[in-house]
Amino acid sequence: MLEDVSIDALQAALRGLSQRQQAVGDNIANVNTPYFQASRVEFEGSLKNALGDGANPLTASPTVVWTDDSSGLNENNVDVNAETLIGIKTQLAYELALRATGDRFTLVRTAVKGV
């Protein structure tokens, strides 16, 4: 039971979500930096492929990609509204994954206790 793939998948998801939140923070921090190009973190496809192939989900790795959104007058393409929305969605997904991880460990603890 301790070899459960769901814990590894949740760990990989938390790692990807954490990196995405960092990218959102970096983007917002540089909203007024001339020529700054916003980035996005993608990990869901890699995680899905790892799970579908039967590989260890921890082999899935987040990828940073640069956006090609249109730029403003200072050639900066950070959209604060979009970044805020992505940040909120990421935070909610992180909290959900964290809760699922806690629930999974509660299930393991209950099974070990035999209650």
Side-chain angles (χ1 to χ4, degrees):
M1 180 167 227
L2 294 176
E3 299 282 330
D4 191 358
V5 71
S6 64
I7 291 174
D8 289 342
L10 287 165
Q11 182 180 354
L14 287 166
R15 185 179 61 223
L17 290 165
S18 176
Q19 191 169 345
R20 179 174 290 151
Q21 196 70 348
Q22 180 67 44
V24 167
D26 289 346
N27 291 343
I28 291 173
N30 286 288
V31 70
N32 292 320
T33 303
Y35 302 100
F36 182 82
Q37 189 175 14
S39 63
R40 298 278 182 264
V41 174
E42 300 173 352
F43 69 91
E44 291 90 342
S46 176
L47 181 56
K48 182 178 178 180
N49 289 339
L51 289 169
D53 295 343
N56 184 338
L58 294 175
T59 62
S61 59
T63 304
V64 176
V65 295
W66 304 106
T67 65
D68 58 359
D69 299 342
S70 61
S71 300
L73 294 175
N74 65 357
E75 297 298 318
N76 179 314
N77 71 346
V78 176
D79 178 351
V80 175
N81 292 328
E83 295 299 325
T84 301
L85 183 59
I86 292 168
I88 291 168
K89 290 169 110 176
T90 302
Q91 182 63 34
L92 291 172
Y94 190 91
E95 290 174 11
L96 180 64
L98 202 56
R99 172 75 187 260
T101 302
D103 290 349
R104 196 70 190 151
F105 281 114
T106 298
L107 180 66
V108 170
R109 186 172 35 250
T110 301
V112 169
K113 280 182 168 179
V115 175

